[in-house]
Amino acid sequence: MRIGQGIDVHAFSEPGSASHIMLGGVEIPHDRGVVAHSDGDVLIHALMDALLGALGLPDIGHQFPDSDPQFSGANSMKLLASVVGRMNEAELYIENLDATVLLEMPKLAAHREAMIQSISQALGCDQGRVGLKATTTEKLGFIGRGEGISAQVVVLLTSDPK
Ligand SMILES: [Zn+2]
């Protein structure tokens, strides 16, 4: 077994400046975008860092540097596919993962199933192995003021393919 955890934070852009955010590879309608070099998918970024941590590899900033123009506007699901490739090379498999998105708005309940489907497909595992929760911070701090969004992911990898 190998355990890993990942955390990511991004700022929201100004109200009215966007039509959606990307979260778990799914477009979620919102009038504010995410300020990021890539598509700003905090959930996938935290997931990649959790996987890389479990694999004993350097973080996503090292794998896909901000300073490298080839990652400008990058589709985070494509970056995730390359991390999953590293996991497959190591002959490790998802036992389970548990993710929490911290945000005030938008509400995610209607998109939860689509996000779980997207993530489980990208990881090549059953949907039952993907835990996904969302919480607010009770109006406290930068998340509570709606200035940004954060995600935390814990993942457990196993050498048993089942
Ligand atoms: Zn990020």
Side-chain angles (χ1 to χ4, degrees):
M1 295 278 192
R2 304 275 305 192
I3 194 168
Q5 64 114 22
I7 296 176
D8 194 37
V9 175
H10 282 277
F12 278 127
S13 59
E14 291 304 307
S17 61
S19 61
H20 67 274
I21 60 171
M22 293 304 296
L23 216 44
V26 174
E27 267 190 32
I28 314 274
H30 195 42
D31 72 333
R32 308 178 75 166
V34 166
V35 179
H37 189 65
S38 68
D39 65 8
D41 192 325
V42 284
L43 179 49
I44 297 302
H45 294 177
L47 172 57
M48 285 194 280
D49 263 348
L51 289 168
L52 289 165
L55 295 169
L57 295 170
D59 69 10
I60 55 172
H62 179 94
Q63 310 283 345
F64 314 111
D66 272 8
S67 53
D68 189 334
Q70 72 166 304
F71 301 122
S72 177
N75 177 339
S76 295
M77 296 305 279
K78 284 196 178 148
L79 306 183
L80 174 60
S82 106
V83 174
V84 169
R86 303 291 292 272
M87 179 179 78
N88 293 338
E89 278 168 25
E91 295 185 27
L92 287 166
Y93 308 88
I94 302 288
E95 178 65 30
N96 76 307
L97 70 93
D98 190 22
T100 305
V101 181
L102 296 100
L103 80 176
E104 208 64 39
M105 287 291 282
K107 296 294 175 205
L108 299 183
H111 308 283
R112 185 171 172 274
E113 270 190 40
M115 292 159 70
I116 288 176
Q117 190 175 7
S118 164
I119 291 167
S120 61
Q121 196 174 347
L123 295 175
C125 71
D126 296 339
Q127 294 188 21
R129 296 182 186 277
V130 177
L132 177 60
K133 306 178 295 307
T135 185
T136 70
T137 59
E138 299 291 341
K139 310 277 186 199
L140 295 170
F142 73 93
I143 291 168
R145 290 191 297 272
E147 294 168 7
I149 179 170
S150 181
Q152 304 189 3
V153 176
V154 177
V155 66
L156 189 63
L157 305 184
T158 174
S159 56
D160 178 4
K162 303 245 170 26

